[in-house]
Amino acid sequence: MGCCLSSYSKGTHQEKDHHHQNAAFHRPTPSNGTDTTSAGDTAAGGVPLFSEFSLSDLKAATNNFSSDFIVSESGEKAPNVVYKGRLQNRRWIAVKKFTKMAWPDAKQFADEALGVGKLRHKRLANLIGYCCDGDERLLVAEYMPNDTLAKHLFHWENQTLEWVMRLRVALYIAEALDYCSMEGRPLYHDLNAYRVLFDENGDPRLSCFGLMKNSRDGKSYSTNLAYTPPEYLRNGRVTPESVIFSFGTVLLDLLSGKHIPPSHALDMIRGKNILLLMDSHLEGNFSTQEATVVFDLASRCLQYEPRERPNAKDLVATLAPLQSKPEVASYVMLGIPKHEEAPPTPQHPLSPMGDACSRMDLTAIHQILVMTHYKDDEGTNELSFQEWTQQMRDMLEARKRGDLAFRDKEFKTAIDCYSAFIDVGTMVSPTVYARRSLCYLMCDQPDAALRDAMQAQCVYPDWSTAFYMQSVALAKLDMHKDAADMLNEAATLEEKKQRGGRGS
């Protein structure tokens, strides 16, 4: 029987401006094990409505808050750790986990989150939910997959940020601050290059986490005191003017490619040593006139007296005329691959196998295949009495050895034993192909894994496990759209079986 992957249509991505989109807020309700931000439950531009998540949802999304899922730069040492996660509807999220005593009062935390959750803007990595469960306090935001400004400026591996992109970053973050000010949320806590994130299209966005205090007492600045607004050192409070001071430090980062203390930079600016401050990695590829305008703006932002600093509208008005190359997409400037439209949300709720495959959790898939054993092979082989030969007994013995190795996670041995079983060819087992497919994934051989999963589909065309295994192999091969389509097809087959059809 011939067997092949079907072809898939590519989605197109349209960015919709959802400026002033307060319709994005709705009264949060517990999600009871299913993500409330499901298809159709979104604001303009595809940003989910603000919801309350259950702790079990977030544990499932982050593999029980696995250290492998930590994305905050300081890792587990950070006072409030940020994890990436994936919901059942396949949406990637960022989850910020606060220390237990940062917000003792659950209502106070929820009220603060609700306020930030009303904001919706294309320049923000928007807050889409929160969780209060016992002592746990968590925020859930859109996930930004292309690192922080700090990484691109200070720890870049591929290419330095070009000048035009630096000006775009400055403007987009100024626009985010201006929007927040207009919506009555002018306070941003500890604005720095780690709070500027790059989305799937390479566009810079301001993390919503900084709009929420790190604790009920609002102690906010975790950075070196040399970068802290002088008035915060005096009274310990963040004001709208403090945010502008911090924006000035981000401008210095963009100009110099280094984290320079404001006092040192101001001395050099006053001494007209602007070119000495410029990032040498730009190799002169910038406009001195534009750089002078940005240095002047940074200098105004960093004034000692708060009342002498510009406001967010002034920032936008100064930076907007400096923009150029609007036709060049941000992902091109960053040197990252083009983003394809996010895979569609599965139309069917995912089973444990579907969920494990969507999260590419190979350990969970292994446990499910061990438990399922060979129940799905029933009816795929009808052997005559004459076929029960010594060769047949040897073949079944090879499979048995493969099963023991598979159970004990000795995946290379399992591949050898299952191959011995398959090569005889007297008996065809879709389960053996599925198991060997997982073994290949465990051994980082996704091509071979995909071939075996397709062979399982050939033997048993309506078997959801064959499609699920193909989806994981395709994802490992970075064919994410195809992987999502396979996952949907598997979920459809599974639902058919539950209604009485054949397929598991």
Side-chain angles (χ1 to χ4, degrees):
M1 182 189 301
C3 182
C4 66
L5 287 169
S6 52
S7 59
Y8 301 96
S9 59
K10 300 290 179 191
T12 56
H13 182 78
Q14 283 187 313
E15 185 192 42
K16 297 175 186 172
D17 187 346
H18 40 285
H19 197 77
H20 295 293
Q21 198 66 48
N22 279 349
F25 173 76
H26 76 142
R27 191 170 191 79
T29 52
S31 52
N32 298 324
T34 56
D35 169 37
T36 53
T37 59
S38 57
D41 198 16
T42 57
V47 183
L49 297 171
F50 187 83
S51 308
E52 182 177 0
F53 288 83
S54 73
L55 187 59
S56 62
D57 285 343
L58 300 183
K59 279 184 173 178
T62 59
N63 199 17
N64 203 20
F65 298 107
S66 162
S67 58
D68 293 339
F69 284 59
I70 293 175
V71 290
S72 38
E73 252 90 354
S74 34
E76 289 176 279
K77 296 177 186 169
N80 305 303
V81 184
V82 179
Y83 299 82
K84 73 173 179 181
R86 201 171 199 184
L87 298 172
Q88 280 192 359
N89 69 358
R90 300 185 55 75
R91 177 179 284 277
W92 285 100
I93 53 170
V95 182
K96 182 171 182 175
K97 200 170 194 276
F98 288 85
T99 53
K100 290 202 187 306
M101 291 315 296
W103 292 92
D105 185 338
K107 184 179 183 305
Q108 195 178 27
F109 177 79
D111 288 346
E112 185 83 5
L114 289 171
V116 178
K118 290 179 182 178
L119 302 175
R120 283 291 179 272
H121 196 268
K122 63 183 178 182
R123 303 294 181 234
L124 288 175
N126 295 283
L127 191 68
I128 61 176
Y130 75 104
C131 172
C132 283
D133 188 320
D135 290 336
E136 296 290 353
R137 305 286 181 266
L138 302 116
L139 296 177
V140 183
E142 294 180 286
Y143 178 63
M144 302 289 112
N146 284 308
D147 295 317
T148 63
L149 177 60
K151 179 87 181 284
H152 285 281
L153 272 181
F154 311 138
H155 312 294
W156 52 278
E157 293 159 10
N158 299 322
Q159 62 185 64
T160 188
L161 276 184
E162 63 178 272
W163 176 244
V164 174
M165 188 63 191
R166 296 184 195 215
L167 292 177
R168 187 175 294 183
V169 170
L171 175 64
Y172 282 18
I173 300 314
E175 288 177 344
L177 294 175
D178 184 35
Y179 165 75
C180 293
S181 295
M182 288 192 294
E183 293 298 319
R185 305 285 309 191
L187 301 185
Y188 194 94
H189 304 269
D190 202 9
L191 174 60
N192 58 56
Y194 292 96
R195 300 283 200 182
V196 178
L197 313 169
F198 292 88
D199 68 16
E200 63 275 9
N201 296 308
D203 286 326
R205 300 219 223 161
L206 185 61
S207 168
C208 63
F209 291 149
L211 290 161
M212 179 129 172
K213 292 182 291 192
N214 274 338
S215 61
R216 61 178 174 167
D217 58 16
K219 297 296 181 197
S220 302
Y221 282 85
S222 56
T223 49
N224 187 304
L225 293 181
Y227 304 91
T228 303
E231 64 274 12
Y232 181 81
L233 296 176
R234 290 198 298 269
N235 57 35
R237 286 209 318 274
V238 177
T239 65
E241 292 78 20
S242 314
V243 180
I244 300 298
F245 183 94
S246 296
F247 182 78
T249 68
V250 174
L251 287 181
L252 288 182
D253 294 343
L254 288 164
L255 289 160
S256 66
K258 296 183 279 292
H259 204 35
I260 298 175
S263 57
H264 175 61
L266 285 172
D267 287 343
M268 293 186 77
I269 292 168
R270 291 187 195 106
K272 306 293 184 196
N273 294 328
I274 288 175
L275 291 178
L276 283 177
L277 269 172
M278 286 301 293
D279 188 349
S280 59
H281 292 112
L282 285 168
E283 298 176 338
N285 293 317
F286 63 90
S287 157
T288 307
Q289 187 178 358
E290 291 169 355
T292 304
V293 172
V294 180
F295 270 117
D296 177 59
L297 182 61
S299 178
R300 288 162 56 209
C301 291
L302 296 168
Q303 291 301 303
Y304 185 82
E305 289 297 334
R307 66 176 180 274
E308 293 177 8
R309 298 170 199 157
N311 60 32
K313 276 212 177 334
D314 298 329
L315 303 180
V316 174
T318 304
L319 292 164
L322 304 180
Q323 303 302 307
S324 60
K325 297 188 184 175
E327 73 288 351
V328 180
S330 296
Y331 71 85
V332 174
M333 291 194 198
L334 286 182
I336 60 175
K338 185 179 190 309
H339 168 66
E340 290 182 358
E341 177 68 2
T345 300
Q347 297 94 7
H348 313 275
L350 292 174
S351 65
M353 181 66 165
D355 178 54
C357 290
S358 75
R359 293 186 289 108
M360 293 170 63
D361 186 343
L362 301 185
T363 304
I365 297 169
H366 174 259
Q367 289 170 344
I368 291 166
L369 289 178
V370 168
M371 287 169 58
T372 308
H373 203 56
Y374 285 84
K375 77 177 182 65
D376 292 321
D377 277 15
E378 289 161 20
T380 58
N381 289 278
E382 292 182 11
L383 298 168
S384 67
F385 179 77
Q386 287 77 12
E387 286 177 301
W388 284 98
T389 60
Q390 181 61 43
Q391 185 186 49
M392 184 71 183
R393 285 194 289 275
D394 291 345
M395 186 176 66
L396 291 173
E397 182 60 30
R399 190 180 78 174
K400 188 177 177 183
R401 287 198 309 275
D403 291 341
L404 290 171
F406 185 82
R407 183 196 67 190
D408 296 335
K409 301 183 180 179
E410 294 167 8
F411 297 113
K412 287 184 177 169
T413 303
I415 288 171
D416 292 340
C417 296
Y418 286 145
S419 297
F421 171 85
I422 289 167
D423 290 344
V424 173
T426 309
M427 185 177 175
V428 183
S429 166
T431 296
V432 167
Y433 279 119
R435 287 178 164 219
R436 194 172 70 169
S437 176
L438 180 68
C439 292
Y440 280 131
L441 287 170
M442 290 290 194
C443 297
D444 200 26
Q445 297 179 59
D447 279 307
L450 181 60
R451 280 196 302 275
D452 269 4
M454 290 166 70
Q455 281 301 321
Q457 182 194 339
C458 291
V459 179
Y460 189 167
D462 297 325
W463 191 35
S464 63
T465 298
F467 290 84
Y468 277 136
M469 295 308 300
Q470 286 179 54
S471 80
V472 180
L474 287 163
K476 287 282 187 185
L477 291 163
D478 291 325
M479 297 169 69
H480 297 291
K481 176 73 171 63
D482 296 352
D485 289 344
M486 274 292 169
L487 196 77
N488 266 329
E489 203 158 338
T492 304
L493 288 167
E494 221 163 20
E495 190 178 67
K496 265 190 203 166
K497 181 175 183 186
Q498 285 162 4
R499 291 201 308 260
R502 188 166 182 242
S504 91

